[in-house]
């Protein structure tokens, strides 16, 4: 299994972590696959801090990437969010009981390129995971979804697993809705879009320009000279769900090639620092 290469990006961020924990913030997961210098503003804190691979993320963290950054957030139930460059996400709600694998996940993506691989909560209770967008909401059926938020337009595409995949995984689906209508997407590689206050478009192939922007964002590398989590040795070998520095695209994640779509989660979990950060949060899982 490939492993994410880790290094300390900014010593001040290391010093800040105990202070955040002391402030009573609830740890809900850990960062992974960090490239560049993504930032997080934690609830009640006056300033943001640089996020490093393996470091905790907290309830209500407002996570941003600049043009040279990207990252993953792995939640305790193995839900994995990937943010491309120039993206913006808020981890609104996370409640999880490891004993029953029940809980609730809500996140808001306000800008940029994203992908998520659902974890145990959505696998057990699909309706208990939602991803909010500026002009709509993605309701989950247990799946991998890639998407784009640009101004008053948002697009979401089913990226796997598809029907008849080779891992006996349940076929994914999602629902894109707003006050004007609702569209369910069941076929890998298809998606739906919302522009302004209009209703979601019928399920079908997204425009090539939109798919290209999603693919480019998920495969993007930091600009030359920027920091990454690999200390200049090639960065993370993120898994086969589109994080691999161009090794695969969002549209290639359908059907058999992604199976259950858990390679990304599994590789992040294989990193000692990430696994430890998640273990440290396990006892807090049902306190929220």
């Amino acid at each position: 299994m490939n492993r994410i290469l880790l290094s300390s990006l900014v010593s001040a961020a290391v010093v800040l972590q105990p202070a955040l924990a002391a402030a009573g913030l609830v740890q809900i997961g850990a960062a992974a696959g960090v490239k560049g210098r993504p930032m997080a503003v934690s609830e009640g804190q006056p300033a943001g801090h640089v996020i490093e691979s393996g470091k905790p993320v907290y309830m209500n963290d407002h996570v941003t990437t600049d043009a040279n950054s990207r990252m993953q957030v792995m939640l305790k139930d193995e839900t994995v969010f990937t943010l491309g460059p120039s993206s913006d996400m808020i981890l609104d709600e996370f409640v999880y009981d490891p004993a029953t694998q029940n809980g609730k996940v809500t996140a808001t993506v306000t800008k940029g390129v994203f992908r998520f691989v659902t974890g145990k909560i959505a696998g057990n209770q699909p309706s208990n995971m939602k991803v909010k967008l500026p002009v709509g909401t993605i309701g989950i059926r247990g799946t991998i979804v890639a998407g784009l938020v640009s101004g008053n337009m948002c697009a979401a595409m089913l990226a796997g697993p598809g029907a008849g995949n080779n891992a006996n995984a349940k076929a994914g689906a999602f629902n894109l809705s707003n006050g004007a209508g609702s569209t369910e997407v069941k076929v890998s590689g298809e998606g739906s879009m919302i522009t302004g206050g209009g209703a979601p478009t019928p399920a079908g192939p997204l425009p090539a320009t939109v798919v290209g922007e999603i693919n480019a964002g998920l495969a993007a590398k930091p600009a030359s000279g920027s920091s990454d989590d690999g200390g200049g040795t090639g960065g993370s070998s993120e898994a086969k769900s589109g994080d691999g520095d161009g090794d695969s695209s969002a549209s290639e994640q359908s059907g058999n090639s992604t199976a259950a779509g858990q390679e990304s989660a599994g590789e992040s979990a294989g990193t000692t620092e990430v696994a430890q950060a998640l273990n440290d949060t396990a006892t807090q899982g049902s306190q929220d």
Side-chain angles (χ1 to χ4, degrees):
M1 175 181 293
N2 294 321
R3 297 175 62 84
I4 298 174
L5 303 175
L6 300 172
S7 64
S8 297
L9 298 178
V10 179
S11 59
V14 177
V15 174
L16 184 59
Q17 295 298 335
L20 293 175
L25 299 175
V26 177
Q27 299 178 17
I28 62 174
V34 171
K35 294 180 181 291
R37 293 165 60 88
M39 301 289 294
V41 178
S42 295
E43 186 176 23
Q45 301 302 304
H49 59 279
V50 176
I51 304 175
E52 298 174 315
S53 288
K55 296 302 181 181
V57 293
Y58 300 93
M59 180 86 76
N60 292 319
D61 267 5
H62 184 177
V63 180
T64 58
T65 59
D66 62 22
N68 299 320
S69 302
R70 56 186 296 238
M71 68 172 297
Q72 291 180 315
V73 173
M74 182 177 177
L75 302 181
K76 291 186 299 180
D77 76 320
E78 299 179 9
T79 296
V80 179
F81 287 94
T82 299
L83 287 181
S86 302
S87 299
D88 192 308
M89 179 177 72
I90 301 170
L91 299 166
D92 298 301
E93 184 176 18
F94 183 81
V95 180
Y96 180 54
D97 182 351
T100 63
Q101 299 185 356
N102 292 332
K104 191 170 185 179
V105 181
T106 306
T108 299
V109 179
T110 59
K111 183 178 70 171
V113 174
F114 65 93
R115 185 184 60 248
F116 58 83
V117 181
T118 56
K120 293 177 181 177
I121 290 174
N124 197 29
Q125 297 175 301
S127 62
N128 281 5
M129 180 176 175
K130 288 183 172 59
V131 176
K132 300 177 182 178
L133 308 174
V135 291
T137 299
I138 301 174
I140 312 305
R141 303 292 181 268
T143 190
I144 308 170
V145 173
L148 169 68
V149 176
S150 179
N152 68 349
M153 184 278 288
C154 69
M157 179 173 65
L158 183 61
N165 63 78
N166 58 7
N168 295 319
K170 182 179 179 180
F174 72 89
N175 181 281
L176 182 64
S177 64
N178 62 8
S182 178
T183 294
E184 186 165 16
V185 179
K186 299 180 180 180
V187 178
S188 294
E190 294 189 352
S192 177
M193 298 175 58
I194 297 175
T195 302
T201 60
L206 296 178
T209 54
V210 173
V211 175
E213 191 167 352
I214 293 172
N215 289 342
L218 293 177
K221 297 180 181 180
S224 177
S226 66
S227 299
D228 64 32
D229 68 323
T233 61
S236 63
S237 298
E238 293 166 352
K240 303 171 185 176
S241 47
D243 287 348
D245 291 341
D247 293 340
S248 60
S249 68
S251 60
E252 292 170 345
Q253 305 318 307
S254 60
N256 295 344
S257 63
T258 54
Q262 292 300 328
E263 292 97 338
S264 180
E267 293 206 5
S268 296
T271 304
T272 302
E273 290 84 350
V274 176
Q276 183 59 52
L278 293 174
N279 288 338
D280 290 344
T281 71
T283 58
Q284 302 181 42
S286 57
Q287 294 179 1
D288 307 328

